[in-house]
Amino acid sequence: FASRIDSIPDQAVNGVPCRGKVLTVDNMNPNVKRVEYAVRGPIVQRAVQIEKELREGVKKPFTEVIKANIGDAHAMGQKPITFLRQVLALCSYPELLEDNKFPEDAKKRAQRILGACGGHSIGAYSASQGIECVRQDVARYIEKRDGGIPSNPDNIYLSTGASDAIVTMLKLLVCGEGRDRTGVMISIPQYPLYSAALADLGAVQISYYLDEEKCWSLDVAELRRALNAARQHCNPRVLCIINPGNPTGTNKDLIHFHLKNNQLSQVQSRQCIEDVIRFAKEEHLFLMADEVYQDNVYAEGCKFHSFKKVLFEMGPEYSSTVEMASFHSTSKCYMGECGFRGGYMEVINMDPEVKTQLTKLVSVRLCPPVPGQALLDLVVNPPQPDEPSYITFMKERTAVLSALAEKARLTEQTFNAVPGITCNPVQGAMYTFPRITLPEKAIDKAKEEGKVPDMYYCMRLLEEEGICLVPGSGFGQREGTFHFRMTILPPTEKLKVVLQKIRDFHVRFTQEFS
């Protein structure tokens, strides 16, 4: 009865006028309704319901739901790095500084961080741009990573994970109306943060396609095709690049490797980055380089090259003119500390007046989470060879990355042995994006039920095997192709179970609709 009253405006209830809800789905911000985020979409919501049903004793053909839909390392069983957690424990409860169970280098890091916090507490607000000594450490980290190319702490903005910084930059860049509305170039397949943010901001999404047949390589000719087509209806101003790639799990989202004698040539990989930078300069585009998976590079012969390093090595014609922001996070790589929401952005060649506006914009949110800032400091300033925590730290870091590399190989080999599944090499990041061949009858059945075919496939997989994946349609894909994204994060033995379940399901599903 109450719900009926809510939906009927200007009705009287017990003599009291009822004017209906002020905020309804019809008068809310229309941009919000256009936002979609597949990584936590309908499949995941159903997975949560199934977990509840299992707890209530409902019988299923499986005993647990395995969520392979999101890159949440610790939820998948990855152990935290000891040194990171020791310092965070000391920062959270400084009385532990008197405890001799903690190594001296961990105590020194904690004391330095606490000394930079208001009231010597990580419960205090920090400067809006981030704690100064952390920004200094980030700048030193970037300089070391890029072979000595200078980094200015004033150009570093700490953030609530990389996502927050990416959305902040897009806010600065989006303007105009009609054909003058800002267009933002994003890769397809893409990480749904980008399409969701563009929908929320009312910007125009310009899709450029990665070449699946060439291991998800990026072709500058495709960038130019997408740009020229978009200029008919918007004002393209931004080019977004993800390196290494999400969801494709490959460095080739932007790095087109040249195969010679089965070896990956680093000359060609660097050449492609240069080509992208030249394209951005020629077309007067702001470059956004999402580099949160920079430590997740597994394939032999592959090496991460930052856009900033290549930009500056191209000389002042480019390094003094191309405007760019690059992003990193504590959520991925060997750390996997998603919940602390630590990250940073470095801006290059930004107009000083715009930078003032950026600083104002981030100040509205007061500051990023201070525990996340502390964690970021440890990531960019890890234990050194002469410090007591170094050996354990390196052992744990190497173990995590080695396990991911092994799981990347296992995933590729297993999927490619299944008729109807094709999987490119998982060279980086922590995902695979295999292509699935679906029978025509299955496609028709999906349409009958009002579902996209790969959504229907993934929902059936969840209901029958308890495996939660994200359909490729949530990331974008070429018309007539179907995929799913799966994380390679589960422990090796559990990953083998997941892969076997997917294999068995795919064979059964294909037979059902043949």
Side-chain angles (χ1 to χ4, degrees):
F1 176 70
S3 62
R4 285 191 62 220
I5 290 174
D6 284 346
S7 65
I8 303 172
D10 301 323
Q11 287 280 341
V13 181
N14 296 329
V16 179
C18 176
R19 300 175 61 189
K21 297 291 187 185
V22 173
L23 177 63
T24 71
V25 76
D26 294 322
N27 66 21
M28 68 177 285
N29 184 337
N31 289 342
V32 174
K33 290 193 283 186
R34 285 193 282 270
V35 169
E36 292 185 6
Y37 190 63
V39 174
R40 296 200 174 191
I43 293 266
V44 183
Q45 292 162 17
R46 177 58 186 145
V48 171
Q49 289 176 345
I50 291 174
E51 285 180 318
K52 184 180 179 184
E53 290 169 10
L54 286 170
R55 287 193 298 271
E56 292 171 349
V58 177
K59 295 298 180 186
K60 302 280 181 184
F62 47 86
T63 57
E64 66 169 333
V65 174
I66 301 175
K67 292 179 181 172
N69 62 296
I70 194 166
D72 192 350
H74 292 185
M76 289 283 99
Q78 181 177 309
K79 299 298 181 189
I81 301 295
T82 301
F83 179 77
L84 305 184
R85 289 303 183 90
Q86 284 176 329
V87 179
L88 288 170
L90 292 163
C91 288
S92 298
Y93 191 58
E95 282 80 356
L96 292 174
L97 289 164
E98 306 303 320
D99 192 323
N100 59 15
K101 293 188 184 73
F102 290 83
E104 286 304 310
D105 54 345
K107 290 181 180 181
K108 286 179 182 175
R109 292 290 204 295
Q111 288 165 336
R112 180 170 178 263
I113 292 166
L114 289 170
C117 294
H120 296 269
S121 170
I122 60 168
Y125 287 131
S126 76
S128 297
Q129 198 169 338
I131 298 170
E132 185 175 2
C133 73
V134 179
R135 289 190 289 113
Q136 290 169 349
D137 286 346
V138 170
R140 279 190 285 268
Y141 162 82
I142 292 171
E143 284 185 8
K144 183 178 178 183
R145 180 198 69 189
D146 292 342
I149 294 166
S151 177
N152 185 345
D154 288 342
N155 291 334
I156 306 294
Y157 288 78
L158 306 190
S159 56
T160 308
S163 301
D164 175 54
I166 290 166
V167 173
T168 297
M169 271 310 311
L170 289 171
K171 278 186 179 178
L172 285 181
L173 285 156
V174 173
C175 68
E177 299 295 335
R179 288 186 63 170
D180 290 328
R181 190 64 173 168
T182 294
V184 179
M185 302 184 71
I186 65 172
S187 62
I188 300 296
Q190 54 104 16
Y191 179 50
L193 163 70
Y194 290 90
S195 57
L198 297 181
D200 186 25
L201 295 169
V204 179
Q205 176 179 318
I206 304 171
S207 301
Y208 63 89
Y209 287 89
L210 304 176
D211 190 343
E212 184 172 9
E213 303 306 317
K214 294 180 179 175
C215 211
W216 301 114
S217 66
L218 175 90
D219 185 354
V220 172
E222 168 61 11
L223 288 179
R224 204 168 297 282
R225 178 208 62 77
L227 182 80
N228 290 336
R231 282 196 166 130
Q232 307 304 311
H233 58 86
C234 70
N235 178 21
R237 301 181 69 206
V238 191
L239 172 58
C240 298
I241 300 282
I242 307 176
N243 173 44
N246 176 11
T248 58
T250 168
N251 286 9
K252 295 180 184 176
D253 281 24
L254 65 142
I255 302 175
H256 180 188
F257 288 100
H258 175 62
L259 284 167
K260 183 178 181 182
N261 299 327
N262 293 323
Q263 295 298 310
L264 291 163
S265 165
Q266 293 308 303
V267 176
Q268 186 70 13
S269 68
R270 180 190 169 82
Q271 183 63 50
C272 189
I273 295 177
E274 289 186 10
D275 290 345
V276 170
I277 291 171
R278 285 193 187 93
F279 174 79
K281 182 179 187 298
E282 288 168 12
E283 302 297 344
H284 204 53
L285 299 173
F286 191 102
L287 196 54
M288 291 178 60
D290 181 340
E291 299 176 331
V292 303
Y293 296 99
Q294 59 189 257
D295 288 330
N296 293 104
V297 179
Y298 317 123
E300 187 178 343
C302 283
K303 182 183 177 183
F304 170 76
H305 294 276
S306 78
F307 262 78
K308 183 189 175 185
K309 183 175 190 288
V310 176
L311 173 67
F312 276 76
E313 289 177 349
M314 289 173 71
E317 179 188 354
Y318 295 93
S319 62
S320 63
T321 59
V322 174
E323 297 160 68
M324 185 178 81
S326 62
F327 309 90
H328 195 17
S329 166
T330 62
S331 299
K332 310 303 177 184
C333 302
Y334 65 90
M335 304 84 69
E337 294 281 9
C338 304
F340 279 98
R341 310 307 298 132
Y344 74 76
M345 162 176 68
E346 182 182 29
V347 296
I348 307 294
N349 293 322
M350 178 173 277
D351 183 300
E353 292 184 26
V354 174
K355 198 172 160 193
T356 300
Q357 296 296 319
L358 170 59
T359 304
K360 177 185 74 175
L361 183 59
V362 299
S363 72
V364 173
R365 297 188 184 181
L366 296 176
C367 69
V370 176
Q373 296 185 51
L375 176 65
L376 177 65
D377 190 60
L378 307 175
V379 171
V380 299
N381 184 23
Q384 299 304 302
D386 60 345
E387 293 182 314
S389 298
Y390 179 77
I391 293 174
T392 300
F393 172 81
M394 289 304 296
K395 182 180 176 182
E396 292 176 346
R397 180 185 187 278
T398 302
V400 170
L401 294 175
S402 296
L404 284 169
E406 177 55 37
K407 289 187 281 189
R409 286 188 289 272
L410 172 67
T411 301
E412 177 197 350
Q413 291 166 4
T414 303
F415 279 148
N416 282 329
V418 182
I421 300 182
T422 307
C423 182
N424 273 314
V426 184
Q427 297 176 319
M430 48 185 63
Y431 312 98
T432 182
F433 197 69
R435 183 170 176 172
I436 50 176
T437 301
L438 301 181
E440 201 60 43
K441 289 180 181 177
I443 294 171
D444 293 341
K445 179 67 173 175
K447 289 176 181 174
E448 265 180 48
E449 296 195 7
K451 293 188 176 78
V452 178
D454 51 13
M455 169 66 87
Y456 175 72
Y457 177 95
C458 288
M459 194 65 85
R460 284 278 304 266
L461 174 66
L462 174 63
E463 296 286 355
E464 295 175 28
E465 298 288 353
I467 306 295
C468 181
L469 307 178
V470 189
S473 49
F475 299 89
Q477 54 198 354
R478 284 196 181 274
E479 188 72 30
T481 68
F482 306 107
H483 303 78
F484 60 76
R485 188 190 81 161
M486 185 188 89
T487 179
I488 61 170
L489 286 171
T492 302
E493 291 310 308
K494 183 169 278 192
L495 180 63
K496 288 178 180 176
V497 171
V498 170
L499 295 171
Q500 184 63 42
K501 280 175 173 267
I502 294 172
R503 180 195 177 283
D504 293 346
F505 169 79
H506 187 82
V507 170
R508 191 170 67 244
F509 184 89
T510 302
Q511 288 173 346
E512 179 184 341
F513 291 102
S514 293

